[in-house]
Amino acid sequence: MKDEAAAAPLLKVEGLVKHFPITKGVLRRQVGAVQAVDGLTFDVRAGETLGVVGESGCGKSTMGRLITRLLEPTAGRVEFEGKDITHLGVAGMRPLRRDVQMIFQDPYSSLNPRHTVGTIVGAPFRLQGISPEGGVKKEVQRLLALVGLSPEHYNRYPHEFSGGQRQRIGIARALALNPKLVVADEPVSALDVSIQAQVVNLLDDLQAELGLTYVIIAHDLSVIRHVSDRIAVMYLGKLVELTDRASLYEKPMHPYTKALLSAVPVPDPKRRAKRERILLKGDVPSPISPPSGCRFHTRCWKATEVCKREEPPLLALEPGHQVACHHPENAPEGASA
């Protein structure tokens, strides 16, 4: 099973680009573009969880909307189960909506306040023209119980629930049609810290129970540490590192990843004192005019002239460990991008 999954990934992304045009004047003349996503290549294997991390504004959420085809890519290719879905229209995507679902960041704005929970979670059945066995109401109540809510809350409205409960309603809606791939866009960032672990654990349990494949987007490395099989690190629209969880946390190769890991809170004061805290200088550059060469060179303590001139390719410096850096950390002898 694992070999088959490795041979044919569930989702394959090649050279994915999304530029949002900037227009000016009455004639809406294009004067530039926001380079939100600029050449992403990765795949997601069936049954795994790919975590995608990076600072706010690096293009993570745009990437999530591109692979679920809520946004039209500027360039590149998206394949799902071997089928090219890059430019499918609304009609072409309709059957695929059963297999690819999204959990949104803000549980307060992603649920219609005028609809009851039963209407919200039952919407996918109506949109797809599906009549579940035993009726929609029974199936919705089963889904509510599955995500840890009371089936009796079928007729309640979103404002009657807490943030964590609303996110569970969003998860129930995403799971209604038994999807194969679920893209979760910062599913816990709008929730209290005490609730975050509960929702992350719920996603983990549902994956084990239903055989789901996840792409979980987050800006906090500690949130996805325990649920991700592989982790992709993004910076200013590009992938800078992609590897399995153990390699990333034990020996990060990209300086940006090392800086992100140094910011993860450590509860033990003794361990905290030993750890080197890396403070990056400056702000993230504008995606309207990103720096030349390596996009991280303006904030990197290892940057040299070659970093300003040449963009480093994303290369596998170790089996399964890809990094885009001219001066990688923890790299094997003689390895350099």
Side-chain angles (χ1 to χ4, degrees):
M1 176 69 187
K2 285 282 180 192
D3 295 339
E4 287 173 29
L10 184 72
L11 178 79
K12 193 174 180 184
V13 174
E14 288 179 2
L16 193 62
V17 174
K18 180 61 179 177
H19 291 178
F20 293 98
I22 301 167
T23 56
K24 197 175 181 182
V26 181
L27 299 175
R28 313 298 293 165
R29 187 169 48 89
Q30 186 172 336
V31 293
V34 177
Q35 300 175 29
V37 168
D38 211 11
L40 300 185
T41 299
F42 63 91
D43 55 36
V44 183
R45 301 157 197 155
E48 80 163 344
T49 298
L50 176 72
V52 182
V53 293
E55 287 171 277
S56 296
C58 73
K60 308 182 300 293
S61 294
T62 302
M63 180 274 296
R65 283 166 166 74
L66 288 169
I67 62 178
T68 51
R69 284 304 327 281
L70 296 176
L71 280 176
E72 180 75 14
T74 304
R77 182 181 173 92
V78 181
E79 281 185 19
F80 182 75
E81 290 189 315
K83 182 183 178 184
D84 187 351
I85 64 167
T86 317
H87 299 295
L88 282 184
V90 176
M93 274 304 294
R94 186 169 293 252
L96 272 161
R97 291 278 171 232
R98 299 184 191 186
D99 293 331
V100 183
Q101 284 290 323
M102 192 157 185
I103 299 165
F104 295 94
Q105 178 175 356
D106 186 2
Y108 294 89
S109 61
S110 63
L111 305 179
N112 190 327
R114 295 182 183 87
H115 289 173
T116 63
V117 170
T119 306
I120 290 167
V121 179
F125 299 113
R126 286 190 301 280
L127 291 168
Q128 292 282 348
I130 295 170
S131 297
E133 211 177 314
V136 172
K137 181 176 180 179
K138 188 178 176 185
E139 181 63 13
V140 168
Q141 289 182 323
R142 183 190 73 81
L143 287 163
L144 291 176
L146 186 70
V147 298
L149 294 171
S150 170
E152 282 75 50
H153 293 163
Y154 179 87
N155 287 318
R156 288 195 180 181
Y157 288 87
H159 73 265
E160 299 177 72
F161 294 90
S162 67
Q165 288 172 322
R166 287 186 211 193
Q167 195 57 292
R168 288 170 189 262
I169 295 165
I171 293 168
R173 176 177 59 185
L175 298 180
L177 300 173
N178 294 320
K180 293 174 183 170
L181 174 69
V182 176
V183 178
D185 181 11
E186 305 229 19
V188 297
S189 65
L191 307 178
D192 290 348
V193 175
S194 56
I195 306 297
Q196 288 184 1
Q198 292 177 22
V199 174
V200 170
N201 288 339
L202 171 67
L203 290 171
D204 204 24
D205 294 343
L206 289 169
Q207 182 176 38
E209 196 174 329
L210 305 173
L212 298 167
T213 303
Y214 286 141
V215 174
I216 298 184
I217 296 163
H219 61 263
D220 185 345
L221 274 163
S222 58
V223 165
I224 57 166
R225 177 167 194 164
H226 303 291
V227 291
S228 299
D229 299 302
R230 289 188 302 146
I231 296 174
V233 180
M234 276 184 77
Y235 183 80
L236 209 59
K238 290 197 175 284
L239 281 186
V240 295
E241 190 159 3
L242 175 61
T243 185
D244 62 86
R245 176 180 60 191
S247 298
L248 190 95
Y249 285 92
E250 286 163 21
K251 48 173 188 179
M253 289 190 185
H254 201 282
Y256 178 61
T257 310
K258 193 175 177 186
L260 279 183
L261 283 166
S262 82
V264 174
V266 176
D268 184 350
K270 289 177 187 170
R271 282 177 55 213
R272 196 186 308 146
K274 289 179 198 168
R275 194 178 64 170
E276 178 193 4
R277 175 77 170 93
I278 300 167
L279 293 170
L280 295 178
K281 56 189 179 186
D283 294 321
V284 181
S286 168
I288 297 169
S289 54
S292 60
C294 173
R295 293 189 173 185
F296 186 57
H297 84 255
T298 57
R299 304 171 75 196
C300 184
W301 63 94
K302 298 184 83 175
T304 58
E305 280 303 311
V306 70
C307 304
K308 297 174 187 175
R309 284 195 321 270
E310 295 175 28
E311 185 183 323
L314 189 69
L315 298 175
L317 299 191
E318 281 186 350
H321 197 148
Q322 294 175 284
V323 63
C325 183
H326 292 297
H327 310 292
E329 306 257 337
N330 299 312
E333 280 303 309
S336 175

